Amino acid sequence: MTIALTTVASTIAACLAVSICSLSSAIALWLKPETLKWLVPNLVALAVGVLLGDAFIHLIPDAIQRHGAVSEVCLTVLIGMFAFFVLEKGVRWRHDHNVDTRPTADQILPLAKMNLIGDAMHNFVDGILIAGSFLADPVMGLTTTLAIIAHEIPQELGDVGALLRGGFTPRQAVLYNFYCSLTVLPGAIFTLLLSQVAESSLIVLLPIAAGGFIYIAASDLIPVLHERSSLIHLGGQSAAFASGIGFMQFIVFFEQALLAA
Amino acid sequence: MASLDTYCHIIGIELLAILSIILPLLDNRSHKRALSTVFLVVMGFMLAHFATHLLPGKIAAFIYSSHHEYRSVKTSGLDRT
C-alpha cells in the first residue's frame, strides 16, 4: 500500500498540534507558589476525574466497539492494571523502597513516574488513532485530532498537578509532560508504516491504557487526596473530580457532534 | 485536502512554537544550543521558502490575474500562472 505524502504531512502536523496542547500546562510556571500550593490538590482531583472518565467513558467503550467481546476487553483492562502494579513495584524497588506519599528534597514519588509512563502510553495510542483516521479520510483525521486535543488540555493540566505533587519542580513538570506527549509521533509513524498491525493492536492497547489510568487514579492519586480532609478541601476536590468526569462526558458529545456533521 | 506546501508550513510553525516555549525552560546549555540551532534552521527554511517560492508565486499570481495580456512562459494557455 502506498501512502500519499500529504497524508504523512497532515498526520505529523496533527501530532505536533497535540504535543503543543501539552504545553498548555506551562501556565503553572507563571503562577505564584501560594496559588500553586492551593491549586495542586485540586489539579490532582481533576486528574483523577479525567483519568477515570477517559478510561470508563472513552477508552473501554471504544475498545468494546472495536473488539465486540466485553469480557475479553475487561480481562485486558485487568491485565493492564496488573502490569502497572508490577511496573510500580519495580519502580519502588529500583528507586524508592518506601510508600511515603510526601516527597522529600530531590526525591520523586512513584506516583509521578507512573503518571509519566501512563501518559506516554496514552499519547502513543492517540498517535495510532490520529494516523489511522487520516489514512481512512482526511476529514475524519481532522475531527479525530480535534477530539483528542479537546480531551488532552484538561488531562495535561491534571497531569502537571500530579507531577508537581510527586516532587517535580514546575519547570520539570512541564518539560517531562511535554516529552511524554511526544510519544504521539512514534504511535503515528508506527501506524503509517504498519497500518494493519497498528489497527489490530488498538484492541489490546486501548484497554491496557485504560487499566493503567484506573490503577494510577485509584492507587496513586486518590490516597493523595485523602491527606487533607477539611470541609473546604472536600468541596474543592469533589468539584474538581466531578469536573474531570464532566469534561470527558462533554468530549463524547463533542465527538458525536463532529462525526455527525 | 490542503496541499503539501500548506502542511509543511503548519509543521514549521508548530515546530517554531514548540521550540520557543521549550527553549527558556531548559537548563542544560548544550541542549539549549542544539535546540536553538534547530530553531534557526527551521526559521531559515521557512524564510527562504517564503522569499524564493511563496512571495514570487503570489506576485506572479497577482500580475497574471490583473493583466490578462500577459501569460506565463511555463504554461501554454492564456491567463495561466
PDB file of all heavy atoms in Angstrom, chain A residues 5-7 9-10 12-14 16-17 19-20 23 26 29 138 171 174-175 178-179, chain B residues 1-4 7-8 10-15 17-18 21-22 24-27 31:
ATOM      1  N   LEU A   5       2.013  11.523   0.288  1.00  0.00           N
ATOM      2  CA  LEU A   5       2.889  12.361   1.120  1.00  0.00           C
ATOM      3  C   LEU A   5       2.070  13.365   1.935  1.00  0.00           C
ATOM      4  O   LEU A   5       2.438  13.717   3.065  1.00  0.00           O
ATOM      5  CB  LEU A   5       3.880  13.090   0.211  1.00  0.00           C
ATOM      6  CG  LEU A   5       5.255  13.381   0.799  1.00  0.00           C
ATOM      7  CD1 LEU A   5       5.900  12.121   1.346  1.00  0.00           C
ATOM      8  CD2 LEU A   5       6.148  14.029  -0.236  1.00  0.00           C
ATOM      9  N   THR A   6       0.934  13.801   1.361  1.00  0.00           N
ATOM     10  CA  THR A   6       0.078  14.749   2.087  1.00  0.00           C
ATOM     11  C   THR A   6      -0.517  14.092   3.345  1.00  0.00           C
ATOM     12  O   THR A   6      -0.693  14.754   4.357  1.00  0.00           O
ATOM     13  CB  THR A   6      -1.073  15.257   1.192  1.00  0.00           C
ATOM     14  OG1 THR A   6      -1.599  14.158   0.478  1.00  0.00           O
ATOM     15  CG2 THR A   6      -0.627  16.326   0.247  1.00  0.00           C
ATOM     16  N   THR A   7      -0.803  12.783   3.261  1.00  0.00           N
ATOM     17  CA  THR A   7      -1.338  12.067   4.441  1.00  0.00           C
ATOM     18  C   THR A   7      -0.293  12.043   5.546  1.00  0.00           C
ATOM     19  O   THR A   7      -0.606  12.286   6.721  1.00  0.00           O
ATOM     20  CB  THR A   7      -1.730  10.619   4.049  1.00  0.00           C
ATOM     21  OG1 THR A   7      -2.559  10.666   2.919  1.00  0.00           O
ATOM     22  CG2 THR A   7      -2.426   9.904   5.181  1.00  0.00           C
ATOM     23  N   ALA A   9       2.256  14.157   5.903  1.00  0.00           N
ATOM     24  CA  ALA A   9       2.465  15.526   6.401  1.00  0.00           C
ATOM     25  C   ALA A   9       1.310  15.961   7.305  1.00  0.00           C
ATOM     26  O   ALA A   9       1.539  16.558   8.366  1.00  0.00           O
ATOM     27  CB  ALA A   9       2.621  16.475   5.227  1.00  0.00           C
ATOM     28  N   SER A  10       0.065  15.635   6.899  1.00  0.00           N
ATOM     29  CA  SER A  10      -1.079  16.048   7.718  1.00  0.00           C
ATOM     30  C   SER A  10      -1.071  15.329   9.063  1.00  0.00           C
ATOM     31  O   SER A  10      -1.407  15.916  10.094  1.00  0.00           O
ATOM     32  CB  SER A  10      -2.393  15.794   6.975  1.00  0.00           C
ATOM     33  OG  SER A  10      -2.485  14.437   6.625  1.00  0.00           O
ATOM     34  N   ILE A  12       1.618  14.247  10.704  1.00  0.00           N
ATOM     35  CA  ILE A  12       2.676  14.838  11.543  1.00  0.00           C
ATOM     36  C   ILE A  12       2.210  16.196  12.085  1.00  0.00           C
ATOM     37  O   ILE A  12       2.416  16.506  13.267  1.00  0.00           O
ATOM     38  CB  ILE A  12       3.997  14.964  10.749  1.00  0.00           C
ATOM     39  CG1 ILE A  12       4.548  13.560  10.463  1.00  0.00           C
ATOM     40  CG2 ILE A  12       5.032  15.792  11.507  1.00  0.00           C
ATOM     41  CD1 ILE A  12       5.715  13.506   9.529  1.00  0.00           C
ATOM     42  N   ALA A  13       1.545  16.991  11.231  1.00  0.00           N
ATOM     43  CA  ALA A  13       1.041  18.299  11.674  1.00  0.00           C
ATOM     44  C   ALA A  13       0.040  18.123  12.823  1.00  0.00           C
ATOM     45  O   ALA A  13       0.085  18.857  13.823  1.00  0.00           O
ATOM     46  CB  ALA A  13       0.397  19.033  10.506  1.00  0.00           C
ATOM     47  N   ALA A  14      -0.847  17.117  12.691  1.00  0.00           N
ATOM     48  CA  ALA A  14      -1.847  16.870  13.742  1.00  0.00           C
ATOM     49  C   ALA A  14      -1.179  16.416  15.040  1.00  0.00           C
ATOM     50  O   ALA A  14      -1.564  16.857  16.130  1.00  0.00           O
ATOM     51  CB  ALA A  14      -2.840  15.805  13.258  1.00  0.00           C
ATOM     52  N   LEU A  16       1.873  17.106  16.053  1.00  0.00           N
ATOM     53  CA  LEU A  16       2.557  18.250  16.678  1.00  0.00           C
ATOM     54  C   LEU A  16       1.551  19.175  17.365  1.00  0.00           C
ATOM     55  O   LEU A  16       1.842  19.739  18.418  1.00  0.00           O
ATOM     56  CB  LEU A  16       3.378  19.015  15.637  1.00  0.00           C
ATOM     57  CG  LEU A  16       4.659  18.311  15.161  1.00  0.00           C
ATOM     58  CD1 LEU A  16       5.338  19.126  14.065  1.00  0.00           C
ATOM     59  CD2 LEU A  16       5.646  18.091  16.299  1.00  0.00           C
ATOM     60  N   ALA A  17       0.354  19.294  16.770  1.00  0.00           N
ATOM     61  CA  ALA A  17      -0.692  20.124  17.392  1.00  0.00           C
ATOM     62  C   ALA A  17      -1.076  19.540  18.750  1.00  0.00           C
ATOM     63  O   ALA A  17      -1.271  20.279  19.722  1.00  0.00           O
ATOM     64  CB  ALA A  17      -1.908  20.201  16.474  1.00  0.00           C
ATOM     65  N   SER A  19       0.896  17.714  20.630  1.00  0.00           N
ATOM     66  CA  SER A  19       2.041  17.951  21.531  1.00  0.00           C
ATOM     67  C   SER A  19       2.048  19.387  22.063  1.00  0.00           C
ATOM     68  O   SER A  19       2.389  19.618  23.218  1.00  0.00           O
ATOM     69  CB  SER A  19       3.355  17.677  20.808  1.00  0.00           C
ATOM     70  OG  SER A  19       3.451  16.321  20.517  1.00  0.00           O
ATOM     71  N   ILE A  20       1.672  20.330  21.190  1.00  0.00           N
ATOM     72  CA  ILE A  20       1.624  21.736  21.635  1.00  0.00           C
ATOM     73  C   ILE A  20       0.625  21.891  22.788  1.00  0.00           C
ATOM     74  O   ILE A  20       0.852  22.647  23.729  1.00  0.00           O
ATOM     75  CB  ILE A  20       1.268  22.682  20.461  1.00  0.00           C
ATOM     76  CG1 ILE A  20       2.464  22.797  19.507  1.00  0.00           C
ATOM     77  CG2 ILE A  20       0.891  24.072  20.955  1.00  0.00           C
ATOM     78  CD1 ILE A  20       2.201  23.633  18.287  1.00  0.00           C
ATOM     79  N   LEU A  23       1.764  21.643  26.206  1.00  0.00           N
ATOM     80  CA  LEU A  23       2.474  22.816  26.737  1.00  0.00           C
ATOM     81  C   LEU A  23       1.516  23.847  27.340  1.00  0.00           C
ATOM     82  O   LEU A  23       1.965  24.848  27.887  1.00  0.00           O
ATOM     83  CB  LEU A  23       3.322  23.459  25.638  1.00  0.00           C
ATOM     84  CG  LEU A  23       4.553  22.631  25.216  1.00  0.00           C
ATOM     85  CD1 LEU A  23       5.200  23.223  23.989  1.00  0.00           C
ATOM     86  CD2 LEU A  23       5.564  22.552  26.337  1.00  0.00           C
ATOM     87  N   ALA A  26       2.080  24.933  30.778  1.00  0.00           N
ATOM     88  CA  ALA A  26       3.118  25.913  31.123  1.00  0.00           C
ATOM     89  C   ALA A  26       2.541  27.096  31.909  1.00  0.00           C
ATOM     90  O   ALA A  26       3.301  27.884  32.491  1.00  0.00           O
ATOM     91  CB  ALA A  26       3.811  26.414  29.866  1.00  0.00           C
ATOM     92  N   LEU A  29       3.808  27.742  35.339  1.00  0.00           N
ATOM     93  CA  LEU A  29       5.085  28.440  35.585  1.00  0.00           C
ATOM     94  C   LEU A  29       4.881  29.900  35.975  1.00  0.00           C
ATOM     95  O   LEU A  29       5.732  30.513  36.594  1.00  0.00           O
ATOM     96  CB  LEU A  29       5.968  28.381  34.333  1.00  0.00           C
ATOM     97  CG  LEU A  29       6.383  26.988  33.874  1.00  0.00           C
ATOM     98  CD1 LEU A  29       7.100  27.062  32.542  1.00  0.00           C
ATOM     99  CD2 LEU A  29       7.281  26.343  34.903  1.00  0.00           C
ATOM    100  N   PRO A 138      -9.189  12.275   5.268  1.00  0.00           N
ATOM    101  CA  PRO A 138      -8.616  13.500   5.859  1.00  0.00           C
ATOM    102  C   PRO A 138      -9.579  14.235   6.805  1.00  0.00           C
ATOM    103  O   PRO A 138      -9.154  14.750   7.838  1.00  0.00           O
ATOM    104  CB  PRO A 138      -8.292  14.376   4.649  1.00  0.00           C
ATOM    105  CG  PRO A 138      -8.230  13.456   3.509  1.00  0.00           C
ATOM    106  CD  PRO A 138      -9.116  12.297   3.809  1.00  0.00           C
ATOM    107  N   ARG A 171       8.902  23.701  36.379  1.00  0.00           N
ATOM    108  CA  ARG A 171       9.597  23.671  35.098  1.00  0.00           C
ATOM    109  C   ARG A 171       9.815  22.224  34.627  1.00  0.00           C
ATOM    110  O   ARG A 171       9.569  21.891  33.462  1.00  0.00           O
ATOM    111  CB  ARG A 171      10.950  24.388  35.270  1.00  0.00           C
ATOM    112  CG  ARG A 171      11.667  24.652  34.008  1.00  0.00           C
ATOM    113  CD  ARG A 171      12.979  25.316  34.301  1.00  0.00           C
ATOM    114  NE  ARG A 171      12.836  26.752  34.497  1.00  0.00           N
ATOM    115  CZ  ARG A 171      13.796  27.621  34.227  1.00  0.00           C
ATOM    116  NH1 ARG A 171      14.968  27.202  33.804  1.00  0.00           N
ATOM    117  NH2 ARG A 171      13.608  28.895  34.408  1.00  0.00           N
ATOM    118  N   VAL A 174       6.450  20.580  33.490  1.00  0.00           N
ATOM    119  CA  VAL A 174       6.017  20.969  32.141  1.00  0.00           C
ATOM    120  C   VAL A 174       6.869  20.257  31.090  1.00  0.00           C
ATOM    121  O   VAL A 174       6.353  19.722  30.102  1.00  0.00           O
ATOM    122  CB  VAL A 174       6.087  22.510  31.972  1.00  0.00           C
ATOM    123  CG1 VAL A 174       5.803  22.911  30.548  1.00  0.00           C
ATOM    124  CG2 VAL A 174       5.100  23.183  32.906  1.00  0.00           C
ATOM    125  N   LEU A 175       8.192  20.228  31.322  1.00  0.00           N
ATOM    126  CA  LEU A 175       9.106  19.619  30.345  1.00  0.00           C
ATOM    127  C   LEU A 175       8.869  18.116  30.206  1.00  0.00           C
ATOM    128  O   LEU A 175       8.718  17.608  29.099  1.00  0.00           O
ATOM    129  CB  LEU A 175      10.554  19.854  30.769  1.00  0.00           C
ATOM    130  CG  LEU A 175      11.229  21.108  30.226  1.00  0.00           C
ATOM    131  CD1 LEU A 175      12.649  21.207  30.753  1.00  0.00           C
ATOM    132  CD2 LEU A 175      11.242  21.117  28.705  1.00  0.00           C
ATOM    133  N   PHE A 178       5.733  17.339  28.490  1.00  0.00           N
ATOM    134  CA  PHE A 178       5.863  17.557  27.045  1.00  0.00           C
ATOM    135  C   PHE A 178       6.610  16.387  26.389  1.00  0.00           C
ATOM    136  O   PHE A 178       6.204  15.910  25.330  1.00  0.00           O
ATOM    137  CB  PHE A 178       6.588  18.882  26.773  1.00  0.00           C
ATOM    138  CG  PHE A 178       6.976  19.045  25.337  1.00  0.00           C
ATOM    139  CD1 PHE A 178       6.009  19.268  24.374  1.00  0.00           C
ATOM    140  CD2 PHE A 178       8.294  18.950  24.935  1.00  0.00           C
ATOM    141  CE1 PHE A 178       6.346  19.393  23.036  1.00  0.00           C
ATOM    142  CE2 PHE A 178       8.646  19.078  23.605  1.00  0.00           C
ATOM    143  CZ  PHE A 178       7.671  19.302  22.654  1.00  0.00           C
ATOM    144  N   TYR A 179       7.699  15.928  27.015  1.00  0.00           N
ATOM    145  CA  TYR A 179       8.451  14.799  26.444  1.00  0.00           C
ATOM    146  C   TYR A 179       7.535  13.581  26.284  1.00  0.00           C
ATOM    147  O   TYR A 179       7.616  12.875  25.280  1.00  0.00           O
ATOM    148  CB  TYR A 179       9.645  14.426  27.328  1.00  0.00           C
ATOM    149  CG  TYR A 179      10.719  15.497  27.438  1.00  0.00           C
ATOM    150  CD1 TYR A 179      11.512  15.615  28.575  1.00  0.00           C
ATOM    151  CD2 TYR A 179      10.936  16.395  26.400  1.00  0.00           C
ATOM    152  CE1 TYR A 179      12.487  16.600  28.680  1.00  0.00           C
ATOM    153  CE2 TYR A 179      11.903  17.388  26.493  1.00  0.00           C
ATOM    154  CZ  TYR A 179      12.673  17.492  27.639  1.00  0.00           C
ATOM    155  OH  TYR A 179      13.620  18.463  27.739  1.00  0.00           O
TER     156      TYR A 179
ATOM    157  N   MET B   1      -8.752  18.487   0.718  1.00  0.00           N
ATOM    158  CA  MET B   1      -7.473  18.287   1.426  1.00  0.00           C
ATOM    159  C   MET B   1      -6.479  19.378   1.017  1.00  0.00           C
ATOM    160  O   MET B   1      -6.365  19.688  -0.170  1.00  0.00           O
ATOM    161  CB  MET B   1      -6.919  16.909   1.066  1.00  0.00           C
ATOM    162  CG  MET B   1      -5.860  16.444   2.023  1.00  0.00           C
ATOM    163  SD  MET B   1      -5.441  14.729   1.637  1.00  0.00           S
ATOM    164  CE  MET B   1      -4.372  14.360   2.998  1.00  0.00           C
ATOM    165  N   ALA B   2      -5.794  19.956   1.994  1.00  0.00           N
ATOM    166  CA  ALA B   2      -4.840  21.027   1.717  1.00  0.00           C
ATOM    167  C   ALA B   2      -3.607  20.463   1.003  1.00  0.00           C
ATOM    168  O   ALA B   2      -3.368  19.259   0.996  1.00  0.00           O
ATOM    169  CB  ALA B   2      -4.442  21.686   3.025  1.00  0.00           C
ATOM    170  N   SER B   3      -2.818  21.405   0.405  1.00  0.00           N
ATOM    171  CA  SER B   3      -1.637  20.946  -0.349  1.00  0.00           C
ATOM    172  C   SER B   3      -0.489  20.594   0.601  1.00  0.00           C
ATOM    173  O   SER B   3      -0.512  20.943   1.783  1.00  0.00           O
ATOM    174  CB  SER B   3      -1.207  22.043  -1.301  1.00  0.00           C
ATOM    175  OG  SER B   3      -0.691  23.111  -0.560  1.00  0.00           O
ATOM    176  N   LEU B   4       0.518  19.932   0.037  1.00  0.00           N
ATOM    177  CA  LEU B   4       1.694  19.534   0.823  1.00  0.00           C
ATOM    178  C   LEU B   4       2.408  20.768   1.376  1.00  0.00           C
ATOM    179  O   LEU B   4       2.880  20.766   2.527  1.00  0.00           O
ATOM    180  CB  LEU B   4       2.643  18.717  -0.063  1.00  0.00           C
ATOM    181  CG  LEU B   4       3.835  18.080   0.623  1.00  0.00           C
ATOM    182  CD1 LEU B   4       3.393  17.086   1.671  1.00  0.00           C
ATOM    183  CD2 LEU B   4       4.722  17.397  -0.407  1.00  0.00           C
ATOM    184  N   TYR B   7       0.722  21.983   4.543  1.00  0.00           N
ATOM    185  CA  TYR B   7       1.053  21.138   5.698  1.00  0.00           C
ATOM    186  C   TYR B   7       2.478  21.402   6.176  1.00  0.00           C
ATOM    187  O   TYR B   7       2.746  21.411   7.380  1.00  0.00           O
ATOM    188  CB  TYR B   7       0.854  19.657   5.365  1.00  0.00           C
ATOM    189  CG  TYR B   7      -0.592  19.249   5.307  1.00  0.00           C
ATOM    190  CD1 TYR B   7      -1.123  18.643   4.185  1.00  0.00           C
ATOM    191  CD2 TYR B   7      -1.439  19.484   6.390  1.00  0.00           C
ATOM    192  CE1 TYR B   7      -2.453  18.282   4.133  1.00  0.00           C
ATOM    193  CE2 TYR B   7      -2.768  19.130   6.349  1.00  0.00           C
ATOM    194  CZ  TYR B   7      -3.274  18.534   5.221  1.00  0.00           C
ATOM    195  OH  TYR B   7      -4.599  18.180   5.184  1.00  0.00           O
ATOM    196  N   CYS B   8       3.410  21.603   5.208  1.00  0.00           N
ATOM    197  CA  CYS B   8       4.806  21.877   5.596  1.00  0.00           C
ATOM    198  C   CYS B   8       4.884  23.197   6.374  1.00  0.00           C
ATOM    199  O   CYS B   8       5.636  23.312   7.339  1.00  0.00           O
ATOM    200  CB  CYS B   8       5.718  21.914   4.374  1.00  0.00           C
ATOM    201  SG  CYS B   8       5.963  20.272   3.694  1.00  0.00           S
ATOM    202  N   ILE B  10       2.456  24.504   8.183  1.00  0.00           N
ATOM    203  CA  ILE B  10       1.867  24.256   9.515  1.00  0.00           C
ATOM    204  C   ILE B  10       2.887  23.564  10.418  1.00  0.00           C
ATOM    205  O   ILE B  10       3.085  23.958  11.572  1.00  0.00           O
ATOM    206  CB  ILE B  10       0.571  23.409   9.398  1.00  0.00           C
ATOM    207  CG1 ILE B  10      -0.513  24.193   8.664  1.00  0.00           C
ATOM    208  CG2 ILE B  10       0.050  22.999  10.771  1.00  0.00           C
ATOM    209  CD1 ILE B  10      -1.736  23.381   8.288  1.00  0.00           C
ATOM    210  N   ILE B  11       3.579  22.538   9.863  1.00  0.00           N
ATOM    211  CA  ILE B  11       4.579  21.805  10.662  1.00  0.00           C
ATOM    212  C   ILE B  11       5.689  22.765  11.105  1.00  0.00           C
ATOM    213  O   ILE B  11       6.103  22.752  12.269  1.00  0.00           O
ATOM    214  CB  ILE B  11       5.161  20.614   9.854  1.00  0.00           C
ATOM    215  CG1 ILE B  11       4.088  19.543   9.669  1.00  0.00           C
ATOM    216  CG2 ILE B  11       6.387  20.013  10.554  1.00  0.00           C
ATOM    217  CD1 ILE B  11       4.471  18.424   8.709  1.00  0.00           C
ATOM    218  N   GLY B  12       6.138  23.619  10.181  1.00  0.00           N
ATOM    219  CA  GLY B  12       7.193  24.589  10.507  1.00  0.00           C
ATOM    220  C   GLY B  12       6.767  25.538  11.618  1.00  0.00           C
ATOM    221  O   GLY B  12       7.512  25.758  12.586  1.00  0.00           O
ATOM    222  N   ILE B  13       5.540  26.058  11.510  1.00  0.00           N
ATOM    223  CA  ILE B  13       5.036  26.990  12.535  1.00  0.00           C
ATOM    224  C   ILE B  13       4.907  26.281  13.880  1.00  0.00           C
ATOM    225  O   ILE B  13       5.270  26.826  14.926  1.00  0.00           O
ATOM    226  CB  ILE B  13       3.682  27.611  12.081  1.00  0.00           C
ATOM    227  CG1 ILE B  13       3.922  28.550  10.890  1.00  0.00           C
ATOM    228  CG2 ILE B  13       3.013  28.372  13.204  1.00  0.00           C
ATOM    229  CD1 ILE B  13       2.678  28.909  10.114  1.00  0.00           C
ATOM    230  N   GLU B  14       4.405  25.037  13.847  1.00  0.00           N
ATOM    231  CA  GLU B  14       4.258  24.273  15.105  1.00  0.00           C
ATOM    232  C   GLU B  14       5.613  24.022  15.751  1.00  0.00           C
ATOM    233  O   GLU B  14       5.767  24.165  16.973  1.00  0.00           O
ATOM    234  CB  GLU B  14       3.555  22.942  14.823  1.00  0.00           C
ATOM    235  CG  GLU B  14       2.067  23.095  14.589  1.00  0.00           C
ATOM    236  CD  GLU B  14       1.402  21.810  14.129  1.00  0.00           C
ATOM    237  OE1 GLU B  14       2.108  20.935  13.584  1.00  0.00           O
ATOM    238  OE2 GLU B  14       0.179  21.693  14.272  1.00  0.00           O
ATOM    239  N   LEU B  15       6.607  23.664  14.918  1.00  0.00           N
ATOM    240  CA  LEU B  15       7.955  23.425  15.467  1.00  0.00           C
ATOM    241  C   LEU B  15       8.507  24.690  16.111  1.00  0.00           C
ATOM    242  O   LEU B  15       9.087  24.649  17.204  1.00  0.00           O
ATOM    243  CB  LEU B  15       8.898  22.949  14.363  1.00  0.00           C
ATOM    244  CG  LEU B  15       8.817  21.473  13.984  1.00  0.00           C
ATOM    245  CD1 LEU B  15       9.709  21.181  12.783  1.00  0.00           C
ATOM    246  CD2 LEU B  15       9.241  20.592  15.150  1.00  0.00           C
ATOM    247  N   ALA B  17       6.776  27.165  17.346  1.00  0.00           N
ATOM    248  CA  ALA B  17       6.019  27.435  18.585  1.00  0.00           C
ATOM    249  C   ALA B  17       6.526  26.559  19.721  1.00  0.00           C
ATOM    250  O   ALA B  17       6.760  27.038  20.834  1.00  0.00           O
ATOM    251  CB  ALA B  17       4.527  27.196  18.342  1.00  0.00           C
ATOM    252  N   ILE B  18       6.714  25.253  19.425  1.00  0.00           N
ATOM    253  CA  ILE B  18       7.187  24.314  20.461  1.00  0.00           C
ATOM    254  C   ILE B  18       8.565  24.745  20.962  1.00  0.00           C
ATOM    255  O   ILE B  18       8.802  24.850  22.175  1.00  0.00           O
ATOM    256  CB  ILE B  18       7.230  22.863  19.910  1.00  0.00           C
ATOM    257  CG1 ILE B  18       5.813  22.317  19.746  1.00  0.00           C
ATOM    258  CG2 ILE B  18       8.049  21.948  20.817  1.00  0.00           C
ATOM    259  CD1 ILE B  18       5.735  20.979  19.033  1.00  0.00           C
ATOM    260  N   ILE B  21       8.690  27.792  23.210  1.00  0.00           N
ATOM    261  CA  ILE B  21       8.217  27.571  24.594  1.00  0.00           C
ATOM    262  C   ILE B  21       9.232  26.733  25.372  1.00  0.00           C
ATOM    263  O   ILE B  21       9.503  26.995  26.545  1.00  0.00           O
ATOM    264  CB  ILE B  21       6.820  26.885  24.604  1.00  0.00           C
ATOM    265  CG1 ILE B  21       5.789  27.765  23.907  1.00  0.00           C
ATOM    266  CG2 ILE B  21       6.354  26.604  26.028  1.00  0.00           C
ATOM    267  CD1 ILE B  21       4.433  27.111  23.689  1.00  0.00           C
ATOM    268  N   ILE B  22       9.784  25.733  24.711  1.00  0.00           N
ATOM    269  CA  ILE B  22      10.686  24.782  25.382  1.00  0.00           C
ATOM    270  C   ILE B  22      12.042  25.416  25.723  1.00  0.00           C
ATOM    271  O   ILE B  22      12.584  25.172  26.807  1.00  0.00           O
ATOM    272  CB  ILE B  22      10.901  23.545  24.461  1.00  0.00           C
ATOM    273  CG1 ILE B  22       9.657  22.678  24.460  1.00  0.00           C
ATOM    274  CG2 ILE B  22      12.110  22.716  24.864  1.00  0.00           C
ATOM    275  CD1 ILE B  22       9.343  22.063  25.798  1.00  0.00           C
ATOM    276  N   PRO B  24      13.255  28.388  26.748  1.00  0.00           N
ATOM    277  CA  PRO B  24      13.504  29.059  28.047  1.00  0.00           C
ATOM    278  C   PRO B  24      13.430  28.115  29.250  1.00  0.00           C
ATOM    279  O   PRO B  24      13.922  28.454  30.317  1.00  0.00           O
ATOM    280  CB  PRO B  24      12.391  30.111  28.127  1.00  0.00           C
ATOM    281  CG  PRO B  24      11.798  30.192  26.794  1.00  0.00           C
ATOM    282  CD  PRO B  24      12.047  28.914  26.106  1.00  0.00           C
ATOM    283  N   LEU B  25      12.810  26.939  29.066  1.00  0.00           N
ATOM    284  CA  LEU B  25      12.651  26.019  30.203  1.00  0.00           C
ATOM    285  C   LEU B  25      13.879  25.127  30.418  1.00  0.00           C
ATOM    286  O   LEU B  25      14.015  24.500  31.458  1.00  0.00           O
ATOM    287  CB  LEU B  25      11.423  25.114  29.994  1.00  0.00           C
ATOM    288  CG  LEU B  25      10.076  25.792  29.809  1.00  0.00           C
ATOM    289  CD1 LEU B  25       8.986  24.764  29.593  1.00  0.00           C
ATOM    290  CD2 LEU B  25       9.742  26.625  31.038  1.00  0.00           C
ATOM    291  N   LEU B  26      14.757  25.048  29.417  1.00  0.00           N
ATOM    292  CA  LEU B  26      15.914  24.149  29.515  1.00  0.00           C
ATOM    293  C   LEU B  26      17.036  24.763  30.348  1.00  0.00           C
ATOM    294  O   LEU B  26      17.303  25.964  30.246  1.00  0.00           O
ATOM    295  CB  LEU B  26      16.437  23.813  28.118  1.00  0.00           C
ATOM    296  CG  LEU B  26      15.540  22.939  27.242  1.00  0.00           C
ATOM    297  CD1 LEU B  26      16.116  22.858  25.844  1.00  0.00           C
ATOM    298  CD2 LEU B  26      15.406  21.543  27.822  1.00  0.00           C
ATOM    299  N   ASP B  27      17.655  23.922  31.168  1.00  0.00           N
ATOM    300  CA  ASP B  27      18.800  24.369  31.971  1.00  0.00           C
ATOM    301  C   ASP B  27      20.127  23.981  31.320  1.00  0.00           C
ATOM    302  O   ASP B  27      21.096  24.714  31.398  1.00  0.00           O
ATOM    303  CB  ASP B  27      18.731  23.756  33.376  1.00  0.00           C
ATOM    304  CG  ASP B  27      17.551  24.305  34.164  1.00  0.00           C
ATOM    305  OD1 ASP B  27      17.251  25.503  33.997  1.00  0.00           O
ATOM    306  OD2 ASP B  27      16.919  23.535  34.914  1.00  0.00           O
ATOM    307  N   HIS B  31      22.025  21.305  25.374  1.00  0.00           N
ATOM    308  CA  HIS B  31      20.690  21.039  24.819  1.00  0.00           C
ATOM    309  C   HIS B  31      20.083  22.330  24.267  1.00  0.00           C
ATOM    310  O   HIS B  31      19.488  22.354  23.206  1.00  0.00           O
ATOM    311  CB  HIS B  31      19.755  20.477  25.894  1.00  0.00           C
ATOM    312  CG  HIS B  31      20.136  19.096  26.351  1.00  0.00           C
ATOM    313  ND1 HIS B  31      19.511  18.451  27.383  1.00  0.00           N
ATOM    314  CD2 HIS B  31      21.100  18.253  25.909  1.00  0.00           C
ATOM    315  CE1 HIS B  31      20.063  17.268  27.551  1.00  0.00           C
ATOM    316  NE2 HIS B  31      21.033  17.129  26.687  1.00  0.00           N
TER     317      HIS B  31
END
